[in-house]
Amino acid sequence: MAEPTFRYHPDPLASGSAVRTDHVCGVCRKDRQIRYRGPVYGRQPDSLCLHCIHSGAASRALSTSGGGDGDSETAAVFSDAVDVPDDVPLSVVEEITHRTPGFAGWQQEAWLYHCGDGAAFLGPAGYRELEAHPEAIAMLREDHRRYGWASADTEQFLRGLDRTGEPTAYLFRCLHCNTSLASWDVG
Ligand SMILES: [Zn+2]
Ligand SMILES: [Zn+2]
């Protein structure tokens, strides 16, 4: 059976948010071959397939109740909406947080947005991977400038970026203008 495709996370296997392994999904109870291994902000499933993320079934099934008598339930999400620009429609934020595989970072990760839409997450990146994306490096330099980093410190930081270690950059691509974007975290 074909795996679902995600507009904002085109290749969860390549990004490391999913692995190829036989498992029974804890939400749909079906035998699946691809297993999600990114974060779930909600109840933790034994195992989760990408179909259930795509359909929204996982977000509903893993929701947490608010407690008390009210039946207010909080749907599970796979990433948090942080610093979303005003020109991004709510439906986009909903699709990214509720129906798109997230990714694990060293800190809480923010999705990136560009041209009024969510950007596609490509995966974690070290300096080597970023070198092919000068716009993404420029974006990190600009971020650091805003935070008041000295440029020598920034260059040292950039060269220390590691795809699997700390610190890591997270590479995105705008779905409209194709610009490469990167976020980063500090251990
Ligand atoms: Zn499933
Ligand atoms: Zn753009």
PDB file of all heavy atoms in Angstrom, residues 23-56:
ATOM      1  N   HIS A  23       5.552  -3.273  11.895  1.00  0.00           N
ATOM      2  CA  HIS A  23       4.975  -3.024  13.218  1.00  0.00           C
ATOM      3  C   HIS A  23       3.461  -3.005  13.091  1.00  0.00           C
ATOM      4  O   HIS A  23       2.919  -2.917  11.984  1.00  0.00           O
ATOM      5  CB  HIS A  23       5.481  -1.683  13.779  1.00  0.00           C
ATOM      6  CG  HIS A  23       4.971  -0.481  13.038  1.00  0.00           C
ATOM      7  ND1 HIS A  23       4.109   0.432  13.589  1.00  0.00           N
ATOM      8  CD2 HIS A  23       5.195  -0.054  11.780  1.00  0.00           C
ATOM      9  CE1 HIS A  23       3.833   1.372  12.704  1.00  0.00           C
ATOM     10  NE2 HIS A  23       4.478   1.107  11.594  1.00  0.00           N
ATOM     11  N   VAL A  24       2.792  -3.116  14.222  1.00  0.00           N
ATOM     12  CA  VAL A  24       1.344  -2.947  14.249  1.00  0.00           C
ATOM     13  C   VAL A  24       1.083  -1.570  14.847  1.00  0.00           C
ATOM     14  O   VAL A  24       1.481  -1.287  15.974  1.00  0.00           O
ATOM     15  CB  VAL A  24       0.661  -4.035  15.100  1.00  0.00           C
ATOM     16  CG1 VAL A  24      -0.843  -3.778  15.179  1.00  0.00           C
ATOM     17  CG2 VAL A  24       0.944  -5.414  14.526  1.00  0.00           C
ATOM     18  N   CYS A  25       0.426  -0.735  14.073  1.00  0.00           N
ATOM     19  CA  CYS A  25       0.171   0.632  14.542  1.00  0.00           C
ATOM     20  C   CYS A  25      -0.763   0.600  15.746  1.00  0.00           C
ATOM     21  O   CYS A  25      -1.776  -0.100  15.746  1.00  0.00           O
ATOM     22  CB  CYS A  25      -0.437   1.454  13.411  1.00  0.00           C
ATOM     23  SG  CYS A  25      -0.971   3.088  13.941  1.00  0.00           S
ATOM     24  N   GLY A  26      -0.430   1.359  16.774  1.00  0.00           N
ATOM     25  CA  GLY A  26      -1.235   1.404  17.988  1.00  0.00           C
ATOM     26  C   GLY A  26      -2.549   2.139  17.814  1.00  0.00           C
ATOM     27  O   GLY A  26      -3.427   2.050  18.670  1.00  0.00           O
ATOM     28  N   VAL A  27      -2.699   2.876  16.712  1.00  0.00           N
ATOM     29  CA  VAL A  27      -3.951   3.614  16.493  1.00  0.00           C
ATOM     30  C   VAL A  27      -4.880   2.851  15.554  1.00  0.00           C
ATOM     31  O   VAL A  27      -6.029   2.588  15.886  1.00  0.00           O
ATOM     32  CB  VAL A  27      -3.660   5.036  15.958  1.00  0.00           C
ATOM     33  CG1 VAL A  27      -4.954   5.737  15.544  1.00  0.00           C
ATOM     34  CG2 VAL A  27      -2.939   5.851  17.029  1.00  0.00           C
ATOM     35  N   CYS A  28      -4.402   2.433  14.389  1.00  0.00           N
ATOM     36  CA  CYS A  28      -5.291   1.740  13.426  1.00  0.00           C
ATOM     37  C   CYS A  28      -5.214   0.225  13.560  1.00  0.00           C
ATOM     38  O   CYS A  28      -6.001  -0.488  12.943  1.00  0.00           O
ATOM     39  CB  CYS A  28      -4.980   2.171  11.998  1.00  0.00           C
ATOM     40  SG  CYS A  28      -3.316   1.715  11.435  1.00  0.00           S
ATOM     41  N   ARG A  29      -4.252  -0.290  14.326  1.00  0.00           N
ATOM     42  CA  ARG A  29      -4.102  -1.732  14.573  1.00  0.00           C
ATOM     43  C   ARG A  29      -3.765  -2.525  13.312  1.00  0.00           C
ATOM     44  O   ARG A  29      -3.968  -3.722  13.257  1.00  0.00           O
ATOM     45  CB  ARG A  29      -5.385  -2.335  15.199  1.00  0.00           C
ATOM     46  CG  ARG A  29      -5.811  -1.655  16.467  1.00  0.00           C
ATOM     47  CD  ARG A  29      -5.034  -2.159  17.651  1.00  0.00           C
ATOM     48  NE  ARG A  29      -5.165  -1.266  18.795  1.00  0.00           N
ATOM     49  CZ  ARG A  29      -4.281  -1.155  19.766  1.00  0.00           C
ATOM     50  NH1 ARG A  29      -3.186  -1.892  19.739  1.00  0.00           N
ATOM     51  NH2 ARG A  29      -4.460  -0.317  20.757  1.00  0.00           N
ATOM     52  N   LYS A  30      -3.295  -1.838  12.298  1.00  0.00           N
ATOM     53  CA  LYS A  30      -2.947  -2.546  11.063  1.00  0.00           C
ATOM     54  C   LYS A  30      -1.451  -2.836  11.018  1.00  0.00           C
ATOM     55  O   LYS A  30      -0.657  -2.147  11.665  1.00  0.00           O
ATOM     56  CB  LYS A  30      -3.336  -1.694   9.852  1.00  0.00           C
ATOM     57  CG  LYS A  30      -4.840  -1.591   9.685  1.00  0.00           C
ATOM     58  CD  LYS A  30      -5.200  -0.864   8.403  1.00  0.00           C
ATOM     59  CE  LYS A  30      -6.712  -0.920   8.203  1.00  0.00           C
ATOM     60  NZ  LYS A  30      -7.233   0.277   7.581  1.00  0.00           N
ATOM     61  N   ASP A  31      -1.100  -3.846  10.231  1.00  0.00           N
ATOM     62  CA  ASP A  31       0.314  -4.128   9.985  1.00  0.00           C
ATOM     63  C   ASP A  31       0.858  -3.048   9.055  1.00  0.00           C
ATOM     64  O   ASP A  31       0.320  -2.839   7.967  1.00  0.00           O
ATOM     65  CB  ASP A  31       0.476  -5.500   9.310  1.00  0.00           C
ATOM     66  CG  ASP A  31       0.099  -6.625  10.263  1.00  0.00           C
ATOM     67  OD1 ASP A  31       0.473  -6.544  11.442  1.00  0.00           O
ATOM     68  OD2 ASP A  31      -0.574  -7.573   9.816  1.00  0.00           O
ATOM     69  N   ARG A  32       1.912  -2.414   9.494  1.00  0.00           N
ATOM     70  CA  ARG A  32       2.491  -1.323   8.695  1.00  0.00           C
ATOM     71  C   ARG A  32       3.982  -1.549   8.547  1.00  0.00           C
ATOM     72  O   ARG A  32       4.596  -2.254   9.363  1.00  0.00           O
ATOM     73  CB  ARG A  32       2.239   0.018   9.377  1.00  0.00           C
ATOM     74  CG  ARG A  32       0.770   0.375   9.559  1.00  0.00           C
ATOM     75  CD  ARG A  32       0.081   0.600   8.254  1.00  0.00           C
ATOM     76  NE  ARG A  32      -1.177   1.336   8.439  1.00  0.00           N
ATOM     77  CZ  ARG A  32      -2.064   1.510   7.474  1.00  0.00           C
ATOM     78  NH1 ARG A  32      -1.837   1.014   6.257  1.00  0.00           N
ATOM     79  NH2 ARG A  32      -3.171   2.185   7.703  1.00  0.00           N
ATOM     80  N   GLN A  33       4.551  -0.893   7.565  1.00  0.00           N
ATOM     81  CA  GLN A  33       5.991  -1.065   7.298  1.00  0.00           C
ATOM     82  C   GLN A  33       6.819   0.157   7.676  1.00  0.00           C
ATOM     83  O   GLN A  33       8.030   0.084   7.812  1.00  0.00           O
ATOM     84  CB  GLN A  33       6.220  -1.372   5.810  1.00  0.00           C
ATOM     85  CG  GLN A  33       5.851  -2.787   5.403  1.00  0.00           C
ATOM     86  CD  GLN A  33       4.343  -2.997   5.356  1.00  0.00           C
ATOM     87  OE1 GLN A  33       3.614  -2.209   4.766  1.00  0.00           O
ATOM     88  NE2 GLN A  33       3.880  -4.050   6.014  1.00  0.00           N
ATOM     89  N   ILE A  34       6.154   1.295   7.789  1.00  0.00           N
ATOM     90  CA  ILE A  34       6.884   2.511   8.147  1.00  0.00           C
ATOM     91  C   ILE A  34       6.374   3.002   9.486  1.00  0.00           C
ATOM     92  O   ILE A  34       5.166   3.133   9.693  1.00  0.00           O
ATOM     93  CB  ILE A  34       6.671   3.615   7.087  1.00  0.00           C
ATOM     94  CG1 ILE A  34       6.986   3.047   5.704  1.00  0.00           C
ATOM     95  CG2 ILE A  34       7.484   4.858   7.440  1.00  0.00           C
ATOM     96  CD1 ILE A  34       8.150   3.575   4.992  1.00  0.00           C
ATOM     97  N   ARG A  35       7.310   3.241  10.377  1.00  0.00           N
ATOM     98  CA  ARG A  35       6.948   3.626  11.737  1.00  0.00           C
ATOM     99  C   ARG A  35       7.438   5.037  12.040  1.00  0.00           C
ATOM    100  O   ARG A  35       8.613   5.365  11.808  1.00  0.00           O
ATOM    101  CB  ARG A  35       7.571   2.626  12.711  1.00  0.00           C
ATOM    102  CG  ARG A  35       7.273   2.933  14.150  1.00  0.00           C
ATOM    103  CD  ARG A  35       7.835   1.854  15.051  1.00  0.00           C
ATOM    104  NE  ARG A  35       7.581   2.205  16.442  1.00  0.00           N
ATOM    105  CZ  ARG A  35       7.824   1.425  17.465  1.00  0.00           C
ATOM    106  NH1 ARG A  35       8.353   0.230  17.278  1.00  0.00           N
ATOM    107  NH2 ARG A  35       7.572   1.826  18.687  1.00  0.00           N
ATOM    108  N   TYR A  36       6.540   5.826  12.570  1.00  0.00           N
ATOM    109  CA  TYR A  36       6.881   7.199  12.961  1.00  0.00           C
ATOM    110  C   TYR A  36       7.758   7.168  14.205  1.00  0.00           C
ATOM    111  O   TYR A  36       7.507   6.402  15.134  1.00  0.00           O
ATOM    112  CB  TYR A  36       5.595   7.961  13.259  1.00  0.00           C
ATOM    113  CG  TYR A  36       5.797   9.364  13.763  1.00  0.00           C
ATOM    114  CD1 TYR A  36       6.452  10.313  12.977  1.00  0.00           C
ATOM    115  CD2 TYR A  36       5.326   9.754  15.014  1.00  0.00           C
ATOM    116  CE1 TYR A  36       6.624  11.618  13.429  1.00  0.00           C
ATOM    117  CE2 TYR A  36       5.497  11.056  15.467  1.00  0.00           C
ATOM    118  CZ  TYR A  36       6.147  11.982  14.674  1.00  0.00           C
ATOM    119  OH  TYR A  36       6.324  13.264  15.124  1.00  0.00           O
ATOM    120  N   ARG A  37       8.805   7.976  14.221  1.00  0.00           N
ATOM    121  CA  ARG A  37       9.623   8.027  15.432  1.00  0.00           C
ATOM    122  C   ARG A  37       9.951   9.451  15.863  1.00  0.00           C
ATOM    123  O   ARG A  37      10.935   9.710  16.547  1.00  0.00           O
ATOM    124  CB  ARG A  37      10.888   7.185  15.266  1.00  0.00           C
ATOM    125  CG  ARG A  37      11.859   7.720  14.256  1.00  0.00           C
ATOM    126  CD  ARG A  37      13.205   7.027  14.458  1.00  0.00           C
ATOM    127  NE  ARG A  37      14.197   7.633  13.584  1.00  0.00           N
ATOM    128  CZ  ARG A  37      15.402   7.154  13.401  1.00  0.00           C
ATOM    129  NH1 ARG A  37      15.776   6.060  14.008  1.00  0.00           N
ATOM    130  NH2 ARG A  37      16.255   7.760  12.611  1.00  0.00           N
ATOM    131  N   GLY A  38       9.114  10.367  15.425  1.00  0.00           N
ATOM    132  CA  GLY A  38       9.261  11.751  15.883  1.00  0.00           C
ATOM    133  C   GLY A  38       8.447  11.963  17.152  1.00  0.00           C
ATOM    134  O   GLY A  38       7.869  11.025  17.696  1.00  0.00           O
ATOM    135  N   PRO A  39       8.391  13.203  17.607  1.00  0.00           N
ATOM    136  CA  PRO A  39       7.688  13.488  18.870  1.00  0.00           C
ATOM    137  C   PRO A  39       6.161  13.433  18.722  1.00  0.00           C
ATOM    138  O   PRO A  39       5.618  13.690  17.656  1.00  0.00           O
ATOM    139  CB  PRO A  39       8.144  14.912  19.196  1.00  0.00           C
ATOM    140  CG  PRO A  39       8.544  15.507  17.889  1.00  0.00           C
ATOM    141  CD  PRO A  39       9.036  14.385  17.031  1.00  0.00           C
ATOM    142  N   VAL A  40       5.488  13.067  19.811  1.00  0.00           N
ATOM    143  CA  VAL A  40       4.035  13.170  19.923  1.00  0.00           C
ATOM    144  C   VAL A  40       3.759  14.002  21.170  1.00  0.00           C
ATOM    145  O   VAL A  40       4.173  13.617  22.269  1.00  0.00           O
ATOM    146  CB  VAL A  40       3.368  11.784  20.078  1.00  0.00           C
ATOM    147  CG1 VAL A  40       1.851  11.949  20.260  1.00  0.00           C
ATOM    148  CG2 VAL A  40       3.668  10.888  18.893  1.00  0.00           C
ATOM    149  N   TYR A  41       3.098  15.135  20.990  1.00  0.00           N
ATOM    150  CA  TYR A  41       2.698  15.931  22.150  1.00  0.00           C
ATOM    151  C   TYR A  41       1.253  15.574  22.458  1.00  0.00           C
ATOM    152  O   TYR A  41       0.312  16.164  21.932  1.00  0.00           O
ATOM    153  CB  TYR A  41       2.886  17.423  21.863  1.00  0.00           C
ATOM    154  CG  TYR A  41       4.314  17.748  21.483  1.00  0.00           C
ATOM    155  CD1 TYR A  41       4.665  17.998  20.157  1.00  0.00           C
ATOM    156  CD2 TYR A  41       5.323  17.752  22.436  1.00  0.00           C
ATOM    157  CE1 TYR A  41       5.978  18.258  19.794  1.00  0.00           C
ATOM    158  CE2 TYR A  41       6.637  18.013  22.092  1.00  0.00           C
ATOM    159  CZ  TYR A  41       6.954  18.269  20.774  1.00  0.00           C
ATOM    160  OH  TYR A  41       8.268  18.523  20.426  1.00  0.00           O
ATOM    161  N   GLY A  42       1.092  14.531  23.270  1.00  0.00           N
ATOM    162  CA  GLY A  42      -0.213  13.983  23.589  1.00  0.00           C
ATOM    163  C   GLY A  42       0.041  12.647  24.266  1.00  0.00           C
ATOM    164  O   GLY A  42       1.128  12.432  24.805  1.00  0.00           O
ATOM    165  N   ARG A  43      -0.940  11.742  24.203  1.00  0.00           N
ATOM    166  CA  ARG A  43      -0.698  10.404  24.735  1.00  0.00           C
ATOM    167  C   ARG A  43       0.291   9.687  23.830  1.00  0.00           C
ATOM    168  O   ARG A  43       0.287   9.861  22.621  1.00  0.00           O
ATOM    169  CB  ARG A  43      -2.014   9.628  24.837  1.00  0.00           C
ATOM    170  CG  ARG A  43      -2.925  10.181  25.950  1.00  0.00           C
ATOM    171  CD  ARG A  43      -4.052   9.217  26.286  1.00  0.00           C
ATOM    172  NE  ARG A  43      -4.884   8.940  25.120  1.00  0.00           N
ATOM    173  CZ  ARG A  43      -4.936   7.765  24.484  1.00  0.00           C
ATOM    174  NH1 ARG A  43      -4.224   6.742  24.920  1.00  0.00           N
ATOM    175  NH2 ARG A  43      -5.704   7.601  23.442  1.00  0.00           N
ATOM    176  N   GLN A  44       1.155   8.866  24.442  1.00  0.00           N
ATOM    177  CA  GLN A  44       2.202   8.211  23.657  1.00  0.00           C
ATOM    178  C   GLN A  44       1.723   6.861  23.145  1.00  0.00           C
ATOM    179  O   GLN A  44       1.361   5.994  23.935  1.00  0.00           O
ATOM    180  CB  GLN A  44       3.465   8.042  24.512  1.00  0.00           C
ATOM    181  CG  GLN A  44       4.019   9.353  25.061  1.00  0.00           C
ATOM    182  CD  GLN A  44       4.363  10.340  23.948  1.00  0.00           C
ATOM    183  OE1 GLN A  44       5.075  10.004  23.004  1.00  0.00           O
ATOM    184  NE2 GLN A  44       3.828  11.550  24.023  1.00  0.00           N
ATOM    185  N   PRO A  45       1.710   6.671  21.828  1.00  0.00           N
ATOM    186  CA  PRO A  45       1.299   5.381  21.270  1.00  0.00           C
ATOM    187  C   PRO A  45       2.447   4.382  21.380  1.00  0.00           C
ATOM    188  O   PRO A  45       3.616   4.767  21.446  1.00  0.00           O
ATOM    189  CB  PRO A  45       1.039   5.712  19.802  1.00  0.00           C
ATOM    190  CG  PRO A  45       2.004   6.836  19.516  1.00  0.00           C
ATOM    191  CD  PRO A  45       2.127   7.628  20.797  1.00  0.00           C
ATOM    192  N   ASP A  46       2.104   3.071  21.430  1.00  0.00           N
ATOM    193  CA  ASP A  46       3.164   2.064  21.395  1.00  0.00           C
ATOM    194  C   ASP A  46       3.915   2.189  20.084  1.00  0.00           C
ATOM    195  O   ASP A  46       5.126   2.007  20.014  1.00  0.00           O
ATOM    196  CB  ASP A  46       2.568   0.653  21.480  1.00  0.00           C
ATOM    197  CG  ASP A  46       1.809   0.464  22.783  1.00  0.00           C
ATOM    198  OD1 ASP A  46       2.190   1.128  23.755  1.00  0.00           O
ATOM    199  OD2 ASP A  46       0.844  -0.311  22.799  1.00  0.00           O
ATOM    200  N   SER A  47       3.159   2.459  19.066  1.00  0.00           N
ATOM    201  CA  SER A  47       3.722   2.462  17.724  1.00  0.00           C
ATOM    202  C   SER A  47       2.750   3.253  16.867  1.00  0.00           C
ATOM    203  O   SER A  47       1.555   3.240  17.114  1.00  0.00           O
ATOM    204  CB  SER A  47       3.810   1.009  17.232  1.00  0.00           C
ATOM    205  OG  SER A  47       4.610   0.948  16.088  1.00  0.00           O
ATOM    206  N   LEU A  48       3.266   3.971  15.892  1.00  0.00           N
ATOM    207  CA  LEU A  48       2.376   4.839  15.113  1.00  0.00           C
ATOM    208  C   LEU A  48       2.780   4.824  13.650  1.00  0.00           C
ATOM    209  O   LEU A  48       3.973   4.918  13.326  1.00  0.00           O
ATOM    210  CB  LEU A  48       2.441   6.266  15.685  1.00  0.00           C
ATOM    211  CG  LEU A  48       1.558   7.326  15.027  1.00  0.00           C
ATOM    212  CD1 LEU A  48       0.095   6.916  15.050  1.00  0.00           C
ATOM    213  CD2 LEU A  48       1.747   8.665  15.733  1.00  0.00           C
ATOM    214  N   CYS A  49       1.784   4.697  12.777  1.00  0.00           N
ATOM    215  CA  CYS A  49       2.064   4.694  11.339  1.00  0.00           C
ATOM    216  C   CYS A  49       1.798   6.080  10.755  1.00  0.00           C
ATOM    217  O   CYS A  49       1.132   6.915  11.364  1.00  0.00           O
ATOM    218  CB  CYS A  49       1.237   3.630  10.628  1.00  0.00           C
ATOM    219  SG  CYS A  49      -0.489   4.085  10.351  1.00  0.00           S
ATOM    220  N   LEU A  50       2.307   6.297   9.554  1.00  0.00           N
ATOM    221  CA  LEU A  50       2.157   7.604   8.910  1.00  0.00           C
ATOM    222  C   LEU A  50       0.740   7.816   8.378  1.00  0.00           C
ATOM    223  O   LEU A  50       0.285   8.954   8.255  1.00  0.00           O
ATOM    224  CB  LEU A  50       3.175   7.763   7.777  1.00  0.00           C
ATOM    225  CG  LEU A  50       4.653   7.737   8.197  1.00  0.00           C
ATOM    226  CD1 LEU A  50       5.552   7.988   6.987  1.00  0.00           C
ATOM    227  CD2 LEU A  50       4.950   8.760   9.286  1.00  0.00           C
ATOM    228  N   HIS A  51       0.045   6.713   8.056  1.00  0.00           N
ATOM    229  CA  HIS A  51      -1.337   6.853   7.582  1.00  0.00           C
ATOM    230  C   HIS A  51      -2.194   7.540   8.633  1.00  0.00           C
ATOM    231  O   HIS A  51      -3.032   8.380   8.310  1.00  0.00           O
ATOM    232  CB  HIS A  51      -1.929   5.468   7.273  1.00  0.00           C
ATOM    233  CG  HIS A  51      -1.263   4.773   6.130  1.00  0.00           C
ATOM    234  ND1 HIS A  51      -1.673   4.918   4.832  1.00  0.00           N
ATOM    235  CD2 HIS A  51      -0.186   3.962   6.094  1.00  0.00           C
ATOM    236  CE1 HIS A  51      -0.898   4.199   4.039  1.00  0.00           C
ATOM    237  NE2 HIS A  51       0.027   3.609   4.788  1.00  0.00           N
ATOM    238  N   CYS A  52      -2.001   7.156   9.893  1.00  0.00           N
ATOM    239  CA  CYS A  52      -2.825   7.720  10.965  1.00  0.00           C
ATOM    240  C   CYS A  52      -2.490   9.185  11.235  1.00  0.00           C
ATOM    241  O   CYS A  52      -3.354   9.950  11.646  1.00  0.00           O
ATOM    242  CB  CYS A  52      -2.682   6.885  12.236  1.00  0.00           C
ATOM    243  SG  CYS A  52      -3.561   5.322  12.123  1.00  0.00           S
ATOM    244  N   ILE A  53      -1.232   9.568  11.004  1.00  0.00           N
ATOM    245  CA  ILE A  53      -0.894  10.986  11.120  1.00  0.00           C
ATOM    246  C   ILE A  53      -1.569  11.739   9.977  1.00  0.00           C
ATOM    247  O   ILE A  53      -2.212  12.775  10.181  1.00  0.00           O
ATOM    248  CB  ILE A  53       0.639  11.195  11.079  1.00  0.00           C
ATOM    249  CG1 ILE A  53       1.271  10.585  12.335  1.00  0.00           C
ATOM    250  CG2 ILE A  53       0.968  12.687  10.976  1.00  0.00           C
ATOM    251  CD1 ILE A  53       2.785  10.726  12.391  1.00  0.00           C
ATOM    252  N   HIS A  54      -1.471  11.202   8.783  1.00  0.00           N
ATOM    253  CA  HIS A  54      -1.986  11.861   7.587  1.00  0.00           C
ATOM    254  C   HIS A  54      -3.501  12.079   7.658  1.00  0.00           C
ATOM    255  O   HIS A  54      -4.018  13.134   7.281  1.00  0.00           O
ATOM    256  CB  HIS A  54      -1.622  11.014   6.363  1.00  0.00           C
ATOM    257  CG  HIS A  54      -1.914  11.691   5.073  1.00  0.00           C
ATOM    258  ND1 HIS A  54      -3.056  11.448   4.347  1.00  0.00           N
ATOM    259  CD2 HIS A  54      -1.210  12.600   4.360  1.00  0.00           C
ATOM    260  CE1 HIS A  54      -3.044  12.181   3.241  1.00  0.00           C
ATOM    261  NE2 HIS A  54      -1.939  12.894   3.223  1.00  0.00           N
ATOM    262  N   SER A  55      -4.214  11.078   8.151  1.00  0.00           N
ATOM    263  CA  SER A  55      -5.683  11.161   8.168  1.00  0.00           C
ATOM    264  C   SER A  55      -6.214  12.002   9.323  1.00  0.00           C
ATOM    265  O   SER A  55      -7.385  12.366   9.347  1.00  0.00           O
ATOM    266  CB  SER A  55      -6.269   9.755   8.283  1.00  0.00           C
ATOM    267  OG  SER A  55      -5.968   9.207   9.557  1.00  0.00           O
ATOM    268  N   GLY A  56      -5.362  12.285  10.281  1.00  0.00           N
ATOM    269  CA  GLY A  56      -5.819  12.996  11.468  1.00  0.00           C
ATOM    270  C   GLY A  56      -6.281  12.044  12.566  1.00  0.00           C
ATOM    271  O   GLY A  56      -6.590  12.478  13.681  1.00  0.00           O
TER     272      GLY A  56
END
